[in-house]
Amino acid sequence: MNQFERTLFNYWGFKKFRPLQLEIIQSTHKKQDTLGLMPTGGGKSMTFQVHSLSNEGICIVITPLIALMKDQVDNLKSKKIKAIAIYSGMSKREIEIAFDNCIYGEIKFLYISPERLKTRLFKEKIQHMNVNLIAVDEAHCISQWGYDFRPAYLEIVHVRELLPNVPILALTATATPDVVKDIQDKLGFKKHHVLSKSFERKNLTYLVKQKEDKLGFILSICNKVKGAGIIYVRTRKRTKEIASALQKRGVNADFYHAGLDANTRQLKQEAWMKSYNAVMVSTNAFGMGIDKPNVRFVLHYDIPESLEAYFQEAGRAGRNGRESFAVLLYNKIDIATLKTNFAKKNPDMLYIKNVYEALGNYYQIPIGAGKGNTYDFFIEDICKKYKLDIIKTYNSIKVLEEEGYIFVSESMESRSRVKFIIDRNTLYKFQIENNTFDIFIKLLLRNFTGIFTEYVPISEEMLAKKVNAPTELIHKYFITLAKMGVISYYKAKQNPVIFYSEERVPQDNIYINRESYESRKERQRVRLDAMIQYITTQSKCRSLQLLEYFGETNKQRCGNCDSCRKRNELKLTKTQFDGILKQVKKMLQKESKAAHEIVQSIDAAEEDVLKVINYLLDYKKIIYTNAGQLMWQVK
């Protein structure tokens, strides 16, 4: 057992790594810059966690997903591993304490959002840390060719300048060949080095179904497939509607979206995780960082934004290796709506500038101010106040993010946090002089460790239950102690925040690079076309379509998807079908021919050739000319 296997066993109880994990760890241990391509559920986080625990020093983990940060920090802490997270929305004092703990407090993992990388405080503090690895999660966010480009990721290469001898480990589950190259270039890899695991999921069957009665089909899936499931929909309203409809028909279903309060979301998630056959109807807010092995199906009620998003969400099914299903439902209206929404996702320049102006007015930020500040972000309220379209406004903000003016985090689940701001001796004197607070202070000291050195997450509800008191009273105690200068207290909140990367500028001074804007629009168009092509191409294996999109070729068709099942009905072997197909294609790409001419020209049974011809006609690979001959359909 080598040092990495010992770390794996000591902290996680596993004796063996999953495929590719050990190779990635060994690569970064040799100080090689490494890009790890692993499918959803492949255990990406284990690679940098084992590396750092096996070496002296701290690992800096850069990720845009605040919810995932908190989950991983909590999981590490449950294993007695010291970890901390810094993200938009924390106070300046909280951030300073967190950085100091990374320098002096034996912290092993610092999770940080990319927006924090260019702050003066970060650049100053990082140079005093003993950093053993820079881990870049969701690495596709650094590429403008990626489906979720985050301009703040471009700052990572400057972090390298401060830590020239520290290797970088970039990780992603969704990257096309162009993005793979771009990630390494943008991160300043000393030498391109990719370790990849095939994205092929042999136990996962992809199905695309054109259905007008989607609810009826969903019900049949829920009754037919035994095990847990996830149903993805686009709107919050629809999550509740579909969950309610399923419940009325006897399905153990619940709904989830980012608009629910943090406690409710946690309870729903925990109940779903514990249940064998629970179905969760959700927006894409659900699933990130969740590793439930027995998810038997993931069903998309609405068409996803891109193949990258679809592949990542579908990949949450079948992580235990058992047969599972990824089902995408659509109808003609869905495709038309997708195309219509394309214009809203690419608002004109004036609209984008109007949104920037509305944001500044909403938060009452003077011209020349606002840099480094964060504000609670309520897009519905802003749109209502300034009569803005919510989809166009959301996408205008994306453009402003790419230009570096602002950044909006995902919805935060910020728990209440407390820290004593006086030392133990002063606190003891305070308790003697203020007997009213003595029992409450002892309650805090008994239940929370590290409360003098860092902000610790607390639950007012849990404390109230312990002393059989109303939650409002516990909250009142916290507020009073904070006013008296004994503690620093931040009450829980649950909403996104907007972060101003630069000072507010006059509307006329906003610069939007037209070339970048048009490039962004074209990238969206390419992804839209790829998504529609995947849905409408019925003659090619679904798995092959996805694998080829991500750069994997020379794979065999799966034999199980809806496209393969249709082809299987021909009762021809792969060799027979491919042989006839190759000859038909070669003939008809040169000139049109009558069906009987094709049959006579191919050395195969007439019945078999006609089966292939009819199959190609069904899926419009070949069509009839006005003269009644067959020709290859050029697309």
Side-chain angles (χ1 to χ4, degrees), residues 586-597:
K586 186 176 180 181
M587 274 189 277
L588 296 185
Q589 279 184 323
K590 292 180 179 179
E591 59 180 329
S592 59
K593 287 182 177 290
H596 71 271
E597 292 180 284

Side-chain angles (χ1 to χ4, degrees), residues 407-420:
F407 168 75
V408 176
S409 76
E410 84 265 26
S411 185
M412 294 171 55
E413 284 185 17
S414 174
R415 294 167 64 185
S416 296
R417 291 105 67 203
V418 172
K419 178 184 178 296
F420 280 110

